[in-house]
């Protein structure tokens, strides 16, 4: 994701009091061997304060069939609209939960939906909406203490009542003060489903949720919004979907955590003349005659993603779009879509950039390894959303235009974030740093081209020098060091300094420490080992350790210190000594090895 600067508010960032994350206690009813209980209502850990309410345990999300029935002029899901979620129980389940925000603090652009019925394996199930509880609450997920269900940017909640407990959810910020809602009650967005009979451990089961109403946007911890944006150009056009980090729950119920990665099929039925655009490949379109829901007729689109998709990367935009696709010479199908209402001149300008996706993909494959998906694509929407996003195989650009540098950023995400997903919301820096590195590689490539091109001595030297210059410029900054990338608040999660630039700079240093060839091998190894799944910070760092050219104990210790300094340390202001003191060979700063290439 890249936020457009114009919409970043002037909010004062307040840094979190750091807490050591313990392994989650999933609460009563879990871990009882063969006994049945409730699935955990979060995938977060005790003390987490970045979207701690998100995700649901007790089962693994395998596949989702999205059956959207959408009337674009009224912006409404119609009867028949539903999702089918196929899950596998990891424990015996009396009940389990999903994330679904039916209404929000935003009465205009927020959602206004209702659930009609839920079935499990085709049999009616009862359902209710409850507030989240802070992860690991020893009093259980229905703790009678209202303080166990409060929002905050930080842990503990604090707030007007000095609540000493961790937060159960992140605030939905509507004003300038991001801490104003610390201590407010969390909304009841956990959809708890109780099947007629328990689901046995290991059983694969299918959950159907029938719902209608108006999809909308989620209001985030930093006051921005994401989700299903109304597209009203031309009036009644449809919806533009871009959802990081949690806005998918504002248009469909799901297991809304980046580590829950089912595969997807999308079966969208929309007004005749509209186009539905989702992830993966478009397998079929079918025209339907007029009926009571669509007096003017309708069209059904079937998109299929054989690859798993994390919560915030699910795409499903509907509107008047010019959609084309072409097979690339690399065997990947490339989709291009842009709003039909854009001017011809704007469309041509956009296409000049959009047409470069195969070239970008080929360039980035030199570092990341083979492109992980069977298709790739880009969608330029008309509405203003405030950010561009790496929707899987269908990158979204807002506001009717696309830029090449940001295109490189978002395409880099297809490997980093999309194929290999962060293991929790606080690890957003891992993949934003890699996407920022994608921008630095784009700049280096331009320098290489200007100096004679790849394979020439001058060109290759210019490539390397560009990265070194980028590092040195960033390292001289005083703005990057006062917050730890791995410990953001919801309000600072998309901070340019801490979530993007600092880890992106660290990856340049890491490339110098490992050597360019070893760094490339490490990236490709991570893709092979964690592709289709997610990775923790510890797992990420262990992979880079494998490719240290010097395997002495001292070098391993030093690399651990490097990661601690760059990813996990908040320094006092001022820069200088108050910044990482391990850099890399050929870079500004103290370096990493001694003159003999050792770590003693
Ligand atoms: Zn990004």
């Amino acid at each position: 994701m890249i936020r457009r600067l114009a919409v970043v508010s002037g909010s004062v960032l307040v840094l979190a009091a750091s807490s050591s994350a313990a392994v989650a206690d999933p609460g009563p009813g879990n871990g009882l061997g063969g006994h049945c209980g409730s699935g955990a209502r979060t995938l977060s850990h005790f003390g987490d304060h970045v979207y701690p309410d998100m995700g649901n345990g007790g089962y693994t999300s395998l596949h989702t069939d999205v059956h959207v029935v959408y009337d674009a002029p009224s912006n409404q899901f119609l009867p028949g609209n539903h999702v089918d979620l196929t899950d596998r129980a990891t424990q015996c389940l009396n009940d389990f939960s999903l994330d679904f925000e039916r209404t929000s603090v935003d009465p205009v652009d927020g959602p206004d939906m209702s659930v009609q019925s839920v079935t499990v394996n085709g049999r009616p199930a009862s359902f209710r909406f409850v507030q989240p509880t802070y992860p690991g609450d020893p009093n259980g997920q229905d703790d009678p203490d209202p303080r166990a269900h409060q929002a905050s940017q930080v842990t503990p909640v604090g707030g007007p009542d000095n609540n000493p407990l961790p937060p159960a959810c992140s605030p939905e910020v509507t004003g300038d003060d991001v801490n104003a809602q610390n201590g407010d009650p969390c909304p009841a967005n956990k959809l708890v489903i109780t099947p007629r009979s328990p689901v046995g451990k290991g059983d694969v089961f299918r959950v159907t949720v029938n719902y209608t109403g108006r999809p909308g946007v989620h209001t985030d911890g930093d006051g921005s919004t994401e989700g299903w944006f109304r597209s009203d150009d031309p009036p009644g056009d449809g919806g533009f979907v871009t959802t990081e980090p949690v806005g998918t729950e504002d248009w469909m119920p799901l297991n809304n955590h980046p580590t829950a990665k089912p595969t997807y099929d999308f079966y969208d039925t929309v007004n005749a003349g509209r186009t539905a655009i989702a992830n993966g490949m478009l397998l079929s379109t079918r025209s339907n005659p007029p009926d009571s829901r669509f007096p003017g007729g309708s069209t059904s689109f079937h998109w299929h993603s054989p690859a798993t998709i994390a919560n915030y990367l699910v795409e499903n935009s509907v509107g008047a779009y010019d959609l084309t696709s072409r097979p690339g010479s690399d065997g990947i199908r490339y989709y291009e879509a842009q709003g039909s209402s854009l001017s011809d001149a704007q469309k041509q300008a956009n296409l000049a950039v959009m047409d470069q996706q195969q070239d970008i993909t080929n360039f980035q494959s030199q570092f990341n390894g083979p492109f992980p998906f069977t298709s790739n694509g880009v969608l330029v929407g008309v509405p203003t959303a405030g950010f561009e996003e790496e929707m899987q195989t269908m990158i979204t650009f807002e506001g009717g235009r696309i830029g090449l540098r940001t295109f490189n950023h978002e395409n880099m995400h297809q490997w980093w974030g999309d194929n290999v997903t962060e293991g929790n919301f606080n690890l957003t820096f891992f993949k934003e740093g890699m996407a920022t590195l994608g921008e630095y590689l784009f700049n280096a490539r331009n320098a290489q081209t200007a100096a004679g091109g790849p394979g020439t001595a001058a060109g290759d030297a210019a490539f390397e020098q560009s990265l070194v210059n980028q590092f040195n410029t960033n390292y001289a900054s005083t703005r990057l060091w006062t917050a730890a990338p791995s410990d953001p608040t919801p309000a600072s999660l998309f901070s340019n300094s801490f979530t993007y630039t600092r880890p992106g700079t660290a990856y340049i240093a890491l490339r110098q420490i490992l050597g360019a060839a070893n760094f490339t091998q490490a990236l490709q190894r991570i893709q092979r080992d964690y592709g289709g799944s997610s990775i923790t910070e510890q797992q990420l760092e262990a992979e880079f350790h494998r490719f240290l050219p010097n395997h002495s104990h001292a070098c391993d210790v030093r690399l651990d210190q490097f990661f601690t300094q760059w990813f996990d340390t908040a320094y006092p202001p001022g820069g200088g000594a108050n910044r990482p003191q391990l850099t890399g060979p050929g870079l500004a700063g103290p370096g990493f090895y001694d003159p003999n290439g050792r770590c003693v």
Side-chain angles (χ1 to χ4, degrees), residues 361 364-365 368-373 411-420 527:
T361 300
Q364 294 178 340
S365 295
N368 302 324
F371 188 71
F373 309 120
N411 204 69
M412 190 79 170
H413 271 309
Q414 300 301 311
W415 287 268
W416 305 107
D418 293 25
N419 192 38
V420 178
Q527 288 293 315

mmCIF file with all atom_site columns, all heavy atoms in Angstrom, residues 361 364-365 368-373 411-420 527:
data_model
loop_
_atom_site.group_PDB
_atom_site.id
_atom_site.type_symbol
_atom_site.label_atom_id
_atom_site.label_alt_id
_atom_site.label_comp_id
_atom_site.label_asym_id
_atom_site.label_entity_id
_atom_site.label_seq_id
_atom_site.pdbx_PDB_ins_code
_atom_site.Cartn_x
_atom_site.Cartn_y
_atom_site.Cartn_z
_atom_site.occupancy
_atom_site.B_iso_or_equiv
_atom_site.pdbx_formal_charge
_atom_site.auth_seq_id
_atom_site.auth_comp_id
_atom_site.auth_asym_id
_atom_site.auth_atom_id
_atom_site.pdbx_PDB_model_num
ATOM 1   N N   . THR A 1 361 ? 7.352  -6.997  -13.879 1.00 0.00 ? 361 THR A N   1
ATOM 2   C CA  . THR A 1 361 ? 7.324  -8.333  -13.288 1.00 0.00 ? 361 THR A CA  1
ATOM 3   C C   . THR A 1 361 ? 8.594  -9.105  -13.631 1.00 0.00 ? 361 THR A C   1
ATOM 4   O O   . THR A 1 361 ? 9.195  -9.762  -12.769 1.00 0.00 ? 361 THR A O   1
ATOM 5   C CB  . THR A 1 361 ? 6.071  -9.082  -13.770 1.00 0.00 ? 361 THR A CB  1
ATOM 6   O OG1 . THR A 1 361 ? 4.910  -8.337  -13.368 1.00 0.00 ? 361 THR A OG1 1
ATOM 7   C CG2 . THR A 1 361 ? 6.001  -10.479 -13.188 1.00 0.00 ? 361 THR A CG2 1
ATOM 8   N N   . GLN A 1 364 ? 11.522 -7.634  -11.590 1.00 0.00 ? 364 GLN A N   1
ATOM 9   C CA  . GLN A 1 364 ? 11.489 -7.989  -10.165 1.00 0.00 ? 364 GLN A CA  1
ATOM 10  C C   . GLN A 1 364 ? 11.722 -9.479  -9.941  1.00 0.00 ? 364 GLN A C   1
ATOM 11  O O   . GLN A 1 364 ? 12.205 -9.882  -8.877  1.00 0.00 ? 364 GLN A O   1
ATOM 12  C CB  . GLN A 1 364 ? 10.164 -7.525  -9.556  1.00 0.00 ? 364 GLN A CB  1
ATOM 13  C CG  . GLN A 1 364 ? 10.050 -5.998  -9.542  1.00 0.00 ? 364 GLN A CG  1
ATOM 14  C CD  . GLN A 1 364 ? 8.736  -5.482  -8.990  1.00 0.00 ? 364 GLN A CD  1
ATOM 15  O OE1 . GLN A 1 364 ? 7.743  -6.209  -8.947  1.00 0.00 ? 364 GLN A OE1 1
ATOM 16  N NE2 . GLN A 1 364 ? 8.716  -4.221  -8.579  1.00 0.00 ? 364 GLN A NE2 1
ATOM 17  N N   . SER A 1 365 ? 11.395 -10.290 -10.955 1.00 0.00 ? 365 SER A N   1
ATOM 18  C CA  . SER A 1 365 ? 11.632 -11.738 -10.848 1.00 0.00 ? 365 SER A CA  1
ATOM 19  C C   . SER A 1 365 ? 13.121 -12.050 -10.718 1.00 0.00 ? 365 SER A C   1
ATOM 20  O O   . SER A 1 365 ? 13.490 -13.090 -10.163 1.00 0.00 ? 365 SER A O   1
ATOM 21  C CB  . SER A 1 365 ? 11.077 -12.471 -12.073 1.00 0.00 ? 365 SER A CB  1
ATOM 22  O OG  . SER A 1 365 ? 9.686  -12.358 -12.142 1.00 0.00 ? 365 SER A OG  1
ATOM 23  N N   . ASN A 1 368 ? 13.261 -11.726 -6.869  1.00 0.00 ? 368 ASN A N   1
ATOM 24  C CA  . ASN A 1 368 ? 12.311 -12.473 -6.045  1.00 0.00 ? 368 ASN A CA  1
ATOM 25  C C   . ASN A 1 368 ? 12.096 -13.914 -6.479  1.00 0.00 ? 368 ASN A C   1
ATOM 26  O O   . ASN A 1 368 ? 11.498 -14.697 -5.744  1.00 0.00 ? 368 ASN A O   1
ATOM 27  C CB  . ASN A 1 368 ? 10.945 -11.776 -6.069  1.00 0.00 ? 368 ASN A CB  1
ATOM 28  C CG  . ASN A 1 368 ? 11.017 -10.347 -5.591  1.00 0.00 ? 368 ASN A CG  1
ATOM 29  O OD1 . ASN A 1 368 ? 11.788 -10.035 -4.683  1.00 0.00 ? 368 ASN A OD1 1
ATOM 30  N ND2 . ASN A 1 368 ? 10.224 -9.473  -6.206  1.00 0.00 ? 368 ASN A ND2 1
ATOM 31  N N   . GLY A 1 369 ? 12.533 -14.244 -7.682  1.00 0.00 ? 369 GLY A N   1
ATOM 32  C CA  . GLY A 1 369 ? 12.235 -15.555 -8.234  1.00 0.00 ? 369 GLY A CA  1
ATOM 33  C C   . GLY A 1 369 ? 10.970 -15.500 -9.069  1.00 0.00 ? 369 GLY A C   1
ATOM 34  O O   . GLY A 1 369 ? 10.396 -14.430 -9.301  1.00 0.00 ? 369 GLY A O   1
ATOM 35  N N   . PRO A 1 370 ? 10.497 -16.671 -9.548  1.00 0.00 ? 370 PRO A N   1
ATOM 36  C CA  . PRO A 1 370 ? 9.353  -16.694 -10.462 1.00 0.00 ? 370 PRO A CA  1
ATOM 37  C C   . PRO A 1 370 ? 8.125  -15.996 -9.886  1.00 0.00 ? 370 PRO A C   1
ATOM 38  O O   . PRO A 1 370 ? 7.873  -16.056 -8.679  1.00 0.00 ? 370 PRO A O   1
ATOM 39  C CB  . PRO A 1 370 ? 9.075  -18.191 -10.640 1.00 0.00 ? 370 PRO A CB  1
ATOM 40  C CG  . PRO A 1 370 ? 10.348 -18.867 -10.262 1.00 0.00 ? 370 PRO A CG  1
ATOM 41  C CD  . PRO A 1 370 ? 11.012 -18.004 -9.233  1.00 0.00 ? 370 PRO A CD  1
ATOM 42  N N   . PHE A 1 371 ? 7.358  -15.342 -10.753 1.00 0.00 ? 371 PHE A N   1
ATOM 43  C CA  . PHE A 1 371 ? 6.109  -14.717 -10.306 1.00 0.00 ? 371 PHE A CA  1
ATOM 44  C C   . PHE A 1 371 ? 5.204  -15.802 -9.731  1.00 0.00 ? 371 PHE A C   1
ATOM 45  O O   . PHE A 1 371 ? 5.017  -16.857 -10.345 1.00 0.00 ? 371 PHE A O   1
ATOM 46  C CB  . PHE A 1 371 ? 5.425  -14.006 -11.479 1.00 0.00 ? 371 PHE A CB  1
ATOM 47  C CG  . PHE A 1 371 ? 4.249  -13.182 -11.050 1.00 0.00 ? 371 PHE A CG  1
ATOM 48  C CD1 . PHE A 1 371 ? 4.419  -12.005 -10.340 1.00 0.00 ? 371 PHE A CD1 1
ATOM 49  C CD2 . PHE A 1 371 ? 2.960  -13.596 -11.344 1.00 0.00 ? 371 PHE A CD2 1
ATOM 50  C CE1 . PHE A 1 371 ? 3.332  -11.243 -9.932  1.00 0.00 ? 371 PHE A CE1 1
ATOM 51  C CE2 . PHE A 1 371 ? 1.853  -12.847 -10.940 1.00 0.00 ? 371 PHE A CE2 1
ATOM 52  C CZ  . PHE A 1 371 ? 2.047  -11.666 -10.233 1.00 0.00 ? 371 PHE A CZ  1
ATOM 53  N N   . PRO A 1 372 ? 4.627  -15.561 -8.544  1.00 0.00 ? 372 PRO A N   1
ATOM 54  C CA  . PRO A 1 372 ? 3.961  -16.654 -7.836  1.00 0.00 ? 372 PRO A CA  1
ATOM 55  C C   . PRO A 1 372 ? 2.544  -16.990 -8.320  1.00 0.00 ? 372 PRO A C   1
ATOM 56  O O   . PRO A 1 372 ? 1.980  -17.981 -7.862  1.00 0.00 ? 372 PRO A O   1
ATOM 57  C CB  . PRO A 1 372 ? 3.938  -16.163 -6.388  1.00 0.00 ? 372 PRO A CB  1
ATOM 58  C CG  . PRO A 1 372 ? 4.021  -14.670 -6.469  1.00 0.00 ? 372 PRO A CG  1
ATOM 59  C CD  . PRO A 1 372 ? 4.807  -14.362 -7.706  1.00 0.00 ? 372 PRO A CD  1
ATOM 60  N N   . PHE A 1 373 ? 1.969  -16.178 -9.200  1.00 0.00 ? 373 PHE A N   1
ATOM 61  C CA  . PHE A 1 373 ? 0.569  -16.383 -9.561  1.00 0.00 ? 373 PHE A CA  1
ATOM 62  C C   . PHE A 1 373 ? 0.427  -16.611 -11.066 1.00 0.00 ? 373 PHE A C   1
ATOM 63  O O   . PHE A 1 373 ? 1.320  -16.293 -11.841 1.00 0.00 ? 373 PHE A O   1
ATOM 64  C CB  . PHE A 1 373 ? -0.277 -15.187 -9.118  1.00 0.00 ? 373 PHE A CB  1
ATOM 65  C CG  . PHE A 1 373 ? -0.075 -14.816 -7.673  1.00 0.00 ? 373 PHE A CG  1
ATOM 66  C CD1 . PHE A 1 373 ? 0.387  -13.557 -7.306  1.00 0.00 ? 373 PHE A CD1 1
ATOM 67  C CD2 . PHE A 1 373 ? -0.327 -15.751 -6.665  1.00 0.00 ? 373 PHE A CD2 1
ATOM 68  C CE1 . PHE A 1 373 ? 0.584  -13.221 -5.982  1.00 0.00 ? 373 PHE A CE1 1
ATOM 69  C CE2 . PHE A 1 373 ? -0.129 -15.423 -5.333  1.00 0.00 ? 373 PHE A CE2 1
ATOM 70  C CZ  . PHE A 1 373 ? 0.331  -14.150 -4.983  1.00 0.00 ? 373 PHE A CZ  1
ATOM 71  N N   . ASN A 1 411 ? 3.637  -3.849  -7.362  1.00 0.00 ? 411 ASN A N   1
ATOM 72  C CA  . ASN A 1 411 ? 3.929  -5.125  -8.016  1.00 0.00 ? 411 ASN A CA  1
ATOM 73  C C   . ASN A 1 411 ? 4.916  -5.956  -7.192  1.00 0.00 ? 411 ASN A C   1
ATOM 74  O O   . ASN A 1 411 ? 4.828  -7.184  -7.147  1.00 0.00 ? 411 ASN A O   1
ATOM 75  C CB  . ASN A 1 411 ? 4.476  -4.876  -9.430  1.00 0.00 ? 411 ASN A CB  1
ATOM 76  C CG  . ASN A 1 411 ? 4.258  -6.046  -10.354 1.00 0.00 ? 411 ASN A CG  1
ATOM 77  O OD1 . ASN A 1 411 ? 3.120  -6.342  -10.724 1.00 0.00 ? 411 ASN A OD1 1
ATOM 78  N ND2 . ASN A 1 411 ? 5.319  -6.747  -10.713 1.00 0.00 ? 411 ASN A ND2 1
ATOM 79  N N   . MET A 1 412 ? 5.858  -5.278  -6.527  1.00 0.00 ? 412 MET A N   1
ATOM 80  C CA  . MET A 1 412 ? 6.797  -5.972  -5.625  1.00 0.00 ? 412 MET A CA  1
ATOM 81  C C   . MET A 1 412 ? 6.037  -6.682  -4.512  1.00 0.00 ? 412 MET A C   1
ATOM 82  O O   . MET A 1 412 ? 6.433  -7.755  -4.051  1.00 0.00 ? 412 MET A O   1
ATOM 83  C CB  . MET A 1 412 ? 7.775  -4.940  -5.051  1.00 0.00 ? 412 MET A CB  1
ATOM 84  C CG  . MET A 1 412 ? 8.948  -5.529  -4.286  1.00 0.00 ? 412 MET A CG  1
ATOM 85  S SD  . MET A 1 412 ? 10.230 -6.146  -5.402  1.00 0.00 ? 412 MET A SD  1
ATOM 86  C CE  . MET A 1 412 ? 11.546 -6.468  -4.192  1.00 0.00 ? 412 MET A CE  1
ATOM 87  N N   . HIS A 1 413 ? 4.924  -6.085  -4.085  1.00 0.00 ? 413 HIS A N   1
ATOM 88  C CA  . HIS A 1 413 ? 4.087  -6.693  -3.045  1.00 0.00 ? 413 HIS A CA  1
ATOM 89  C C   . HIS A 1 413 ? 3.510  -8.036  -3.468  1.00 0.00 ? 413 HIS A C   1
ATOM 90  O O   . HIS A 1 413 ? 3.094  -8.825  -2.610  1.00 0.00 ? 413 HIS A O   1
ATOM 91  C CB  . HIS A 1 413 ? 2.905  -5.775  -2.719  1.00 0.00 ? 413 HIS A CB  1
ATOM 92  C CG  . HIS A 1 413 ? 3.154  -4.763  -1.659  1.00 0.00 ? 413 HIS A CG  1
ATOM 93  N ND1 . HIS A 1 413 ? 3.677  -5.079  -0.418  1.00 0.00 ? 413 HIS A ND1 1
ATOM 94  C CD2 . HIS A 1 413 ? 2.912  -3.428  -1.624  1.00 0.00 ? 413 HIS A CD2 1
ATOM 95  C CE1 . HIS A 1 413 ? 3.734  -3.969  0.319   1.00 0.00 ? 413 HIS A CE1 1
ATOM 96  N NE2 . HIS A 1 413 ? 3.289  -2.963  -0.391  1.00 0.00 ? 413 HIS A NE2 1
ATOM 97  N N   . GLN A 1 414 ? 3.412  -8.300  -4.750  1.00 0.00 ? 414 GLN A N   1
ATOM 98  C CA  . GLN A 1 414 ? 2.818  -9.572  -5.159  1.00 0.00 ? 414 GLN A CA  1
ATOM 99  C C   . GLN A 1 414 ? 3.607  -10.746 -4.572  1.00 0.00 ? 414 GLN A C   1
ATOM 100 O O   . GLN A 1 414 ? 3.039  -11.781 -4.245  1.00 0.00 ? 414 GLN A O   1
ATOM 101 C CB  . GLN A 1 414 ? 2.719  -9.680  -6.683  1.00 0.00 ? 414 GLN A CB  1
ATOM 102 C CG  . GLN A 1 414 ? 1.858  -8.583  -7.326  1.00 0.00 ? 414 GLN A CG  1
ATOM 103 C CD  . GLN A 1 414 ? 0.423  -8.586  -6.807  1.00 0.00 ? 414 GLN A CD  1
ATOM 104 O OE1 . GLN A 1 414 ? -0.230 -9.630  -6.754  1.00 0.00 ? 414 GLN A OE1 1
ATOM 105 N NE2 . GLN A 1 414 ? -0.073 -7.430  -6.401  1.00 0.00 ? 414 GLN A NE2 1
ATOM 106 N N   . TRP A 1 415 ? 4.911  -10.540 -4.422  1.00 0.00 ? 415 TRP A N   1
ATOM 107 C CA  . TRP A 1 415 ? 5.729  -11.544 -3.722  1.00 0.00 ? 415 TRP A CA  1
ATOM 108 C C   . TRP A 1 415 ? 5.693  -11.321 -2.206  1.00 0.00 ? 415 TRP A C   1
ATOM 109 O O   . TRP A 1 415 ? 5.651  -12.272 -1.445  1.00 0.00 ? 415 TRP A O   1
ATOM 110 C CB  . TRP A 1 415 ? 7.184  -11.451 -4.185  1.00 0.00 ? 415 TRP A CB  1
ATOM 111 C CG  . TRP A 1 415 ? 7.500  -11.962 -5.552  1.00 0.00 ? 415 TRP A CG  1
ATOM 112 C CD1 . TRP A 1 415 ? 7.906  -13.244 -5.867  1.00 0.00 ? 415 TRP A CD1 1
ATOM 113 C CD2 . TRP A 1 415 ? 7.495  -11.233 -6.792  1.00 0.00 ? 415 TRP A CD2 1
ATOM 114 N NE1 . TRP A 1 415 ? 8.156  -13.326 -7.221  1.00 0.00 ? 415 TRP A NE1 1
ATOM 115 C CE2 . TRP A 1 415 ? 7.918  -12.126 -7.806  1.00 0.00 ? 415 TRP A CE2 1
ATOM 116 C CE3 . TRP A 1 415 ? 7.189  -9.911  -7.136  1.00 0.00 ? 415 TRP A CE3 1
ATOM 117 C CZ2 . TRP A 1 415 ? 8.028  -11.730 -9.143  1.00 0.00 ? 415 TRP A CZ2 1
ATOM 118 C CZ3 . TRP A 1 415 ? 7.286  -9.522  -8.462  1.00 0.00 ? 415 TRP A CZ3 1
ATOM 119 C CH2 . TRP A 1 415 ? 7.701  -10.432 -9.446  1.00 0.00 ? 415 TRP A CH2 1
ATOM 120 N N   . TRP A 1 416 ? 5.748  -10.046 -1.810  1.00 0.00 ? 416 TRP A N   1
ATOM 121 C CA  . TRP A 1 416 ? 5.971  -9.666  -0.402  1.00 0.00 ? 416 TRP A CA  1
ATOM 122 C C   . TRP A 1 416 ? 4.706  -9.031  0.166   1.00 0.00 ? 416 TRP A C   1
ATOM 123 O O   . TRP A 1 416 ? 4.417  -7.872  -0.106  1.00 0.00 ? 416 TRP A O   1
ATOM 124 C CB  . TRP A 1 416 ? 7.167  -8.704  -0.318  1.00 0.00 ? 416 TRP A CB  1
ATOM 125 C CG  . TRP A 1 416 ? 8.380  -9.301  -0.951  1.00 0.00 ? 416 TRP A CG  1
ATOM 126 C CD1 . TRP A 1 416 ? 8.935  -8.961  -2.139  1.00 0.00 ? 416 TRP A CD1 1
ATOM 127 C CD2 . TRP A 1 416 ? 9.154  -10.402 -0.448  1.00 0.00 ? 416 TRP A CD2 1
ATOM 128 N NE1 . TRP A 1 416 ? 10.015 -9.771  -2.402  1.00 0.00 ? 416 TRP A NE1 1
ATOM 129 C CE2 . TRP A 1 416 ? 10.172 -10.660 -1.383  1.00 0.00 ? 416 TRP A CE2 1
ATOM 130 C CE3 . TRP A 1 416 ? 9.084  -11.185 0.709   1.00 0.00 ? 416 TRP A CE3 1
ATOM 131 C CZ2 . TRP A 1 416 ? 11.112 -11.677 -1.201  1.00 0.00 ? 416 TRP A CZ2 1
ATOM 132 C CZ3 . TRP A 1 416 ? 10.028 -12.191 0.884   1.00 0.00 ? 416 TRP A CZ3 1
ATOM 133 C CH2 . TRP A 1 416 ? 11.025 -12.418 -0.053  1.00 0.00 ? 416 TRP A CH2 1
ATOM 134 N N   . GLY A 1 417 ? 3.975  -9.802  0.914   1.00 0.00 ? 417 GLY A N   1
ATOM 135 C CA  . GLY A 1 417 ? 2.678  -9.371  1.421   1.00 0.00 ? 417 GLY A CA  1
ATOM 136 C C   . GLY A 1 417 ? 1.597  -10.276 0.849   1.00 0.00 ? 417 GLY A C   1
ATOM 137 O O   . GLY A 1 417 ? 0.770  -10.805 1.569   1.00 0.00 ? 417 GLY A O   1
ATOM 138 N N   . ASP A 1 418 ? 1.648  -10.453 -0.494  1.00 0.00 ? 418 ASP A N   1
ATOM 139 C CA  . ASP A 1 418 ? 0.620  -11.260 -1.130  1.00 0.00 ? 418 ASP A CA  1
ATOM 140 C C   . ASP A 1 418 ? 0.980  -12.753 -1.071  1.00 0.00 ? 418 ASP A C   1
ATOM 141 O O   . ASP A 1 418 ? 0.265  -13.543 -0.456  1.00 0.00 ? 418 ASP A O   1
ATOM 142 C CB  . ASP A 1 418 ? 0.419  -10.813 -2.580  1.00 0.00 ? 418 ASP A CB  1
ATOM 143 C CG  . ASP A 1 418 ? -0.188 -9.404  -2.665  1.00 0.00 ? 418 ASP A CG  1
ATOM 144 O OD1 . ASP A 1 418 ? -0.011 -8.631  -1.714  1.00 0.00 ? 418 ASP A OD1 1
ATOM 145 O OD2 . ASP A 1 418 ? -0.830 -9.085  -3.670  1.00 0.00 ? 418 ASP A OD2 1
ATOM 146 N N   . ASN A 1 419 ? 2.064  -13.151 -1.721  1.00 0.00 ? 419 ASN A N   1
ATOM 147 C CA  . ASN A 1 419 ? 2.438  -14.572 -1.684  1.00 0.00 ? 419 ASN A CA  1
ATOM 148 C C   . ASN A 1 419 ? 2.971  -14.961 -0.307  1.00 0.00 ? 419 ASN A C   1
ATOM 149 O O   . ASN A 1 419 ? 2.546  -15.962 0.268   1.00 0.00 ? 419 ASN A O   1
ATOM 150 C CB  . ASN A 1 419 ? 3.485  -14.864 -2.765  1.00 0.00 ? 419 ASN A CB  1
ATOM 151 C CG  . ASN A 1 419 ? 3.702  -16.347 -2.966  1.00 0.00 ? 419 ASN A CG  1
ATOM 152 O OD1 . ASN A 1 419 ? 2.764  -17.136 -2.917  1.00 0.00 ? 419 ASN A OD1 1
ATOM 153 N ND2 . ASN A 1 419 ? 4.946  -16.744 -3.181  1.00 0.00 ? 419 ASN A ND2 1
ATOM 154 N N   . VAL A 1 420 ? 3.889  -14.196 0.219   1.00 0.00 ? 420 VAL A N   1
ATOM 155 C CA  . VAL A 1 420 ? 4.373  -14.386 1.591   1.00 0.00 ? 420 VAL A CA  1
ATOM 156 C C   . VAL A 1 420 ? 3.826  -13.236 2.427   1.00 0.00 ? 420 VAL A C   1
ATOM 157 O O   . VAL A 1 420 ? 4.218  -12.083 2.252   1.00 0.00 ? 420 VAL A O   1
ATOM 158 C CB  . VAL A 1 420 ? 5.914  -14.410 1.657   1.00 0.00 ? 420 VAL A CB  1
ATOM 159 C CG1 . VAL A 1 420 ? 6.377  -14.569 3.106   1.00 0.00 ? 420 VAL A CG1 1
ATOM 160 C CG2 . VAL A 1 420 ? 6.469  -15.546 0.800   1.00 0.00 ? 420 VAL A CG2 1
ATOM 161 N N   . GLN A 1 527 ? 10.545 -17.120 -0.539  1.00 0.00 ? 527 GLN A N   1
ATOM 162 C CA  . GLN A 1 527 ? 9.376  -17.337 -1.395  1.00 0.00 ? 527 GLN A CA  1
ATOM 163 C C   . GLN A 1 527 ? 9.029  -18.819 -1.489  1.00 0.00 ? 527 GLN A C   1
ATOM 164 O O   . GLN A 1 527 ? 7.858  -19.201 -1.442  1.00 0.00 ? 527 GLN A O   1
ATOM 165 C CB  . GLN A 1 527 ? 9.631  -16.754 -2.794  1.00 0.00 ? 527 GLN A CB  1
ATOM 166 C CG  . GLN A 1 527 ? 9.612  -15.234 -2.836  1.00 0.00 ? 527 GLN A CG  1
ATOM 167 C CD  . GLN A 1 527 ? 8.235  -14.656 -2.554  1.00 0.00 ? 527 GLN A CD  1
ATOM 168 O OE1 . GLN A 1 527 ? 7.234  -15.129 -3.096  1.00 0.00 ? 527 GLN A OE1 1
ATOM 169 N NE2 . GLN A 1 527 ? 8.165  -13.652 -1.705  1.00 0.00 ? 527 GLN A NE2 1
#
